[in-house]
Amino acid sequence: MQAKKRYILLIICCAFLAYCYLGGYRLKGLQTLFRMRIRKNPDNLPCYHQLHYQYTDSTESTEHTQSLPDDDWFAAPAYESRSRDLAPQPSFQAGAIRRVTDEGSATFKSCRMETCFDFSKCSDKNFYVYVYPPEPLNSLGAPPPISQNYQKIISAIQESRYYTTDPEQACLFVLGIDTLDRDSLSEDFVRNVPSRLQRLPYWNNGRNHIIFNLYSGTWPDYNENGLGFDPGQAILAKASMSVQSLRPGFDVSIPLFHKQFPLRGGNTGFVVSNNFPANKKYLLAFKGKRYVHGIGSETRNSLFHLHNARDFVLVTTCKHGKSWRDLQDARCDEDNREYDRYDYETLLQNSTFCLVPRGRRLGSFRFLEVLQAGCIPVLLSNSWVLPFQSKIDWKQAAIWADERLLLQVPDIVRSVSTSRILALRQQTQVLWERYFSSIEKIIFTTFEIIRERLPDYPHRNGLIWNTSPGALLTIPTFSDTHRRFPFLLDKLGHTPGLNYTAVIFVQIGTQLTPNTALYKLVKSITKSQYIDKILILWATDRSVPPKKRWPSTGHIPLHIISGSTSEDRPSISQRFYPHEQIETDAVLSLDEDAILNTDELDFAYQVWRDFPDRIVGYPARAHFWDDSKNAWGYTSKWTNYYSIVLTGAAFYHRYYNYLYTNWLSYLLLKTVQQSSNCEDILMNLLVSHVTRKPPIKVTQRKGYKDRESGRSPWNDPDHFIQRQSCLNTFAAVFGYMPLLRSNLRLDPVLYRDSVSNLRKKYRQIELVGS
């Protein structure tokens, strides 16, 4: 008994001495660092606010609020709030006041937006980006070197609405010099960057410039600040950023992506709806390189301790690099054999959690790969600032572990509940699809983060950034209240505003008489109990009929928009223009020859109120993949499914007018304008891209147009060929096919209320033949 007591007392004493030594060592190091700074310059002592910044909040600023106030959910704060618990943090951040030391190592000046950015160049309405033209050919007649990924970045910008060719309009400047790979041993390393920067006419020490970088530093230390040039006051959009080097609220952390990464669109996430069961074959998996020695080797060299070949599969290989055999250790042969037993893609698809350890640098290709697979990332990279961490709440999609406490990882992943596993997995798909599936989305997300720092630009709430459809598709200049966005209504328990505005696009312009389709259509609309006003877009050469020829609309306002010349008349895309006369959430889009009675209109409107984020209407079409032509096909035949509801007779939310006009690529709108066709297909692609849901067809009507309108452009045989061509052009610009198939059709007999009441309520629908 006495021996046992002495043994316990000895353990306690040893633990106390170890605690005192380690704690004193850290405190002594901290004090020494402060004394050195004081001796150098006593005026450099940080104020209390700066100390608080460094010790407690060393990651990027974050806005992760998960609830929205009723109305004031967009704001332009002077200072961004900060998150404290997203990652293990060092006890002290040394600051960001640095200078260029040599060609291999560049360090940066401490900057804030208020001190290193000229806000006067930017407008809250237009955020333009200027890309420097390519440098002239060298003495050998060769163009300057540029990597495939940097060319993709430039292409994404130049084909976007951000782009301007006028530097006087630009808020932000992008280099024509490839700075992605600053590893001096890489084949993509660009030399003489400092002298090239000085030749740029608008460089101004980097003010209002943004520099994109994926790799910095080289063997053996892989210095994070080793750009080889002084970025001056430029914003760094950089992969593998650490909390020590990040300038909070100024730089932007981006993900590391490989050379085959798509320019736009990108592959969708691999998780299907709900994705049961929650736990897969393997609980935790990793397959990748092992560094025998050097920076980044400590963590990966220890992974074999966790591998059990049952629920934990963590395999590494020494086979990389030209001299791996000369550097191999005693465990390499065994590791290589175990490594070859597993297929990487199979591991991703069959693992609940996937380890993402640091490589030579803090970031890793594994991060985006596991995100796409829906395998929950377990991060082993201390001090790494995760991509877009200032806006994205990674606690909803990833698990942090500590490199120094590797053996705790099994207990961490086993402690995660089934419900949280499902939530984490679903969030990986939201983030992948909205921000990370293409270079275009990564670049645009970077721009939007910078744009929100402008004093007059509205600030999107954390809920917008962390839920679908995300910040790139939620334009805050549309409205200052969340009640005006269709995809937020259901999340927040609200309903759309009452009544609808009918917009009739007149392209034929037949003589207006009580027997013409247009006359009957206006008459049917005026009888609707939900109509707010009628808007006529007169896009034909015929003169507008005098007011007395139109049917009486009673108290319902009727506005006619026309032009005195062909240039002034509404174009085919202007049927989706956000006209100021449209004040209701619901828009009823109609062609002039549509034949719908009042009951059909009212029933479709009631259905739309239950699905305000979708297109709800009558005429349906379908798309399909044609193997013989290796292209998308378009059909108007009746099938067991549909993917398009034509806007010649359909309801949708007016926010999509704003997106169509202010967000869609100019290339898409130009295709519509040149063909004078396909605007309805484009609107369907847009809504499906935003919601990732199909449209909704109502009632059994097959024909919805007046067959007596012989001059209709829709009767042109080339019309169908054009539409098929448009569909493939649209899919190419989006980078994927947004349309989704559906088998759903909503009829009044089976919808919402009891059968007897509905048969009385929508009696006219029964008279319509199929």
Side-chain angles (χ1 to χ4, degrees):
M1 182 62 71
Q2 293 298 327
K4 184 176 181 181
K5 287 181 179 180
R6 286 196 298 271
Y7 180 73
I8 295 173
L9 182 60
L10 179 62
I11 292 176
I12 294 173
C13 291
C14 291
F16 177 77
L17 291 173
Y19 173 80
C20 292
Y21 174 77
L22 293 176
Y25 177 79
R26 292 177 62 187
L27 182 59
K28 180 179 178 182
L30 192 61
Q31 291 172 340
T32 302
L33 183 55
F34 268 101
R35 290 193 191 102
M36 290 173 64
R37 295 178 69 182
I38 293 171
R39 288 194 198 102
K40 261 189 170 180
N41 188 353
D43 295 332
N44 281 346
L45 274 174
C47 67
Y48 171 78
H49 174 72
Q50 292 171 327
L51 283 175
H52 180 72
Y53 232 41
Q54 291 176 343
Y55 289 122
T56 63
D57 302 312
S58 51
T59 60
E60 281 189 271
S61 57
T62 54
E63 288 293 340
H64 299 153
T65 309
Q66 294 308 304
S67 61
L68 294 177
D70 286 340
D71 290 300
D72 186 19
W73 64 297
F74 288 134
Y79 301 99
E80 298 179 61
S81 64
R82 304 174 60 76
S83 174
R84 304 189 178 195
D85 54 352
L86 294 183
Q89 305 299 341
S91 58
F92 176 73
Q93 180 180 341
I97 302 177
R98 301 180 283 271
R99 290 290 182 270
V100 176
T101 57
D102 53 53
E103 177 66 16
S105 176
T107 50
F108 329 125
K109 178 181 179 181
S110 179
C111 274
R112 304 191 310 274
M113 293 295 288
E114 295 82 2
T115 60
C116 295
F117 197 89
D118 185 358
F119 292 117
S120 66
K121 291 182 174 291
C122 307
S123 165
D124 59 327
K125 294 182 180 178
N126 296 310
F127 185 82
Y128 289 124
V129 180
Y130 176 79
V131 179
Y132 284 97
E135 293 179 290
L137 302 179
N138 60 25
S139 58
L140 300 176
I146 186 169
S147 64
Q148 184 177 355
N149 273 343
Y150 201 70
Q151 185 57 58
K152 290 178 183 178
I153 290 175
I154 292 177
S155 298
I157 298 170
Q158 291 178 334
E159 295 170 5
S160 74
R161 285 182 174 267
Y162 297 102
Y163 181 61
T164 180
T165 57
D166 183 1
E168 298 300 323
Q169 291 185 344
C171 171
L172 207 58
F173 293 78
V174 173
L175 305 180
I177 306 167
D178 186 353
T179 57
L180 284 185
D181 193 340
R182 301 306 298 159
D183 185 338
S184 58
L185 298 179
S186 171
E187 61 181 11
D188 292 327
F189 179 77
V190 177
R191 304 188 182 280
N192 304 319
V193 171
S195 60
R196 293 180 177 185
L197 290 177
Q198 298 308 315
R199 291 197 294 267
L200 298 179
Y202 312 104
W203 174 240
N204 192 23
N205 195 32
R207 200 171 184 84
N208 285 57
H209 284 64
I210 182 169
I211 293 174
F212 294 98
N213 175 254
L214 296 181
Y215 311 97
S216 59
T218 188
W219 174 268
D221 58 355
Y222 294 93
N223 180 13
E224 181 185 351
N225 301 320
L227 294 177
F229 63 91
D230 182 5
Q233 297 179 344
I235 296 172
L236 290 177
K238 192 175 183 304
S240 303
M241 294 195 82
S242 69
V243 295
Q244 292 92 341
S245 294
L246 177 85
R247 294 170 290 186
F250 191 74
D251 294 329
V252 180
S253 178
I254 64 174
L256 185 65
F257 49 87
H258 52 68
K259 293 183 178 181
Q260 290 74 41
F261 210 68
L263 167 60
R264 58 173 64 88
N267 295 325
T268 58
F270 298 152
V271 175
V272 296
S273 181
N274 294 326
N275 200 249
F276 290 103
N279 291 311
K280 299 186 179 182
K281 179 178 180 181
Y282 305 114
L283 184 59
L284 179 68
F286 171 77
K287 181 177 181 180
K289 298 176 182 176
R290 177 164 75 85
Y291 309 113
V292 177
H293 63 85
I295 188 169
S297 62
E298 298 87 351
T299 300
R300 296 197 181 196
N301 279 343
S302 303
L303 294 182
F304 77 97
H305 290 294
L306 305 182
H307 175 70
N308 61 19
R310 297 187 301 276
D311 56 342
F312 285 77
V313 175
L314 299 105
V315 290
T316 58
T317 180
C318 302
K319 292 181 181 179
H320 57 88
K322 298 178 180 179
S323 55
W324 72 270
R325 287 196 177 277
D326 298 332
L327 301 173
Q328 66 178 339
D329 58 19
R331 214 180 63 248
C332 276
D333 290 338
E334 180 184 351
D335 283 355
N336 292 340
R337 285 193 297 271
E338 195 71 4
Y339 179 89
D340 293 336
R341 286 182 53 197
Y342 298 93
D343 176 72
Y344 178 61
E345 296 296 330
T346 303
L347 276 179
L348 283 180
Q349 298 298 321
N350 291 279
S351 301
T352 304
F353 296 92
C354 287
L355 201 67
V356 183
R358 63 163 297 160
R360 293 297 194 188
R361 300 172 178 89
L362 293 176
S364 167
F365 292 134
R366 294 289 183 271
F367 183 70
L368 289 186
E369 291 167 354
V370 303
L371 205 65
Q372 179 184 12
C375 188
I376 301 164
V378 178
L379 306 169
L380 274 177
S381 185
N382 289 13
S383 300
W384 180 29
V385 179
L386 288 184
F388 310 138
Q389 190 164 296
S390 63
K391 298 298 178 184
I392 293 177
D393 184 1
W394 284 106
K395 289 180 292 185
Q396 297 184 40
I399 301 293
W400 271 105
D402 193 322
E403 292 181 77
R404 299 163 298 185
L405 303 172
L406 180 65
L407 298 182
Q408 290 185 359
V409 170
D411 291 334
I412 291 174
V413 296
R414 287 192 176 107
S415 67
V416 181
S417 66
T418 301
S419 60
R420 190 173 181 225
I421 287 174
L422 287 172
L424 289 166
R425 184 178 295 150
Q426 290 169 355
Q427 187 66 5
T428 62
Q429 303 306 278
V430 171
L431 298 179
W432 164 260
E433 194 167 283
R434 297 307 179 180
Y435 303 116
F436 296 106
S437 60
S438 68
I439 291 177
E440 182 183 69
K441 290 178 182 176
I442 292 171
I443 301 305
F444 292 174
T445 303
T446 302
F447 287 164
E448 286 301 308
I449 289 174
I450 297 172
R451 190 178 191 178
E452 280 200 4
R453 296 170 182 169
L454 302 182
D456 297 326
Y457 193 75
H459 184 82
R460 279 160 288 204
N461 186 283
L463 179 65
I464 302 303
W465 280 94
N466 291 281
T467 57
S468 192
L472 297 185
L473 290 165
T474 308
I475 304 179
T477 51
F478 170 71
S479 175
D480 60 357
T481 172
H482 60 271
R483 297 175 186 271
R484 294 291 178 258
F485 292 85
F487 37 77
L488 293 177
L489 292 170
D490 183 59
K491 294 174 185 171
L492 300 166
H494 296 300
T495 56
L498 295 174
N499 300 333
Y500 64 85
T501 301
V503 179
I504 305 175
F505 187 70
V506 178
Q507 196 173 7
I508 306 170
T510 56
Q511 187 176 2
L512 194 63
T513 68
N515 293 323
T516 57
L518 178 57
Y519 189 97
K520 294 176 182 178
L521 182 60
V522 172
K523 199 170 181 179
S524 295
I525 294 171
T526 57
K527 294 178 182 178
S528 171
Q529 59 182 313
Y530 306 112
I531 184 65
D532 180 72
K533 66 182 64 170
I534 302 172
L535 190 61
I536 307 291
L537 301 181
W538 196 265
T540 177
D541 293 337
R542 293 176 180 267
S543 58
V544 179
K547 188 175 181 180
K548 63 181 181 180
R549 288 189 175 274
W550 294 90
S552 174
T553 59
H555 66 283
I556 307 300
L558 187 146
H559 301 277
I560 300 176
I561 298 178
S562 64
S564 56
T565 64
S566 59
E567 289 79 12
D568 296 335
R569 293 189 192 103
S571 66
I572 195 166
S573 279
Q574 280 188 286
R575 70 183 304 167
F576 301 132
Y577 186 79
H579 299 281
E580 60 181 11
Q581 292 89 348
I582 303 175
E583 299 176 317
T584 59
D585 288 342
V587 177
L588 170 60
S589 176
L590 294 163
D591 290 334
E592 64 190 294
D593 52 356
I595 46 174
L596 297 174
N597 60 48
T598 304
D599 275 4
E600 289 178 294
L601 298 177
D602 286 354
F603 174 66
Y605 171 70
Q606 287 294 336
V607 173
W608 176 86
R609 283 186 60 81
D610 290 335
F611 304 94
D613 57 339
R614 306 206 214 177
I615 295 177
V616 176
Y618 292 89
R621 301 290 185 264
H623 79 290
F624 62 94
W625 180 255
D626 189 338
D627 283 322
S628 62
K629 298 179 180 178
N630 195 33
W632 293 105
Y634 172 88
T635 180
S636 59
K637 297 179 180 179
W638 274 44
T639 61
N640 292 327
Y641 68 92
Y642 64 90
S643 55
I644 298 171
V645 166
L646 302 183
T647 54
F651 283 92
Y652 63 89
H653 197 284
R654 73 185 179 104
Y655 178 62
Y656 297 124
N657 280 349
Y658 192 84
L659 281 182
Y660 187 99
T661 305
N662 297 287
W663 181 84
L664 280 177
S665 165
Y666 288 120
L667 183 58
L668 293 169
L669 298 179
K670 186 178 180 181
T671 301
V672 170
Q673 195 66 27
Q674 290 178 340
S675 63
S676 294
N677 196 348
C678 309
E679 82 290 349
D680 49 355
I681 298 177
L682 181 55
M683 177 58 90
N684 272 267
L685 266 75
L686 171 62
V687 176
S688 292
H689 174 70
V690 173
T691 63
R692 304 307 299 135
K693 300 173 185 175
I696 294 176
K697 176 174 171 55
V698 292
T699 79
Q700 76 281 11
R701 180 188 284 275
K702 182 178 182 181
Y704 76 103
K705 285 183 174 289
D706 179 19
R707 300 182 185 276
E708 296 180 5
S709 301
R711 291 184 62 250
S712 173
W714 298 283
N715 295 330
D716 186 349
D718 292 333
H719 178 77
F720 183 85
I721 298 174
Q722 273 186 340
R723 293 172 75 77
Q724 190 152 292
S725 175
C726 286
L727 185 64
N728 283 278
T729 301
F730 296 158
V733 176
F734 272 97
Y736 78 114
M737 173 52 74
L739 295 177
L740 300 168
R741 296 179 179 180
S742 176
N743 306 99
L744 176 69
R745 190 184 75 183
L746 297 178
D747 295 333
V749 173
L750 302 175
Y751 191 69
R752 294 187 64 182
D753 298 326
S754 60
V755 171
S756 59
N757 289 339
L758 273 169
R759 288 177 71 89
K760 294 175 184 177
K761 188 174 181 180
Y762 300 108
R763 194 173 301 169
Q764 292 182 32
I765 295 182
E766 298 178 4
L767 304 178
V768 178
S770 60

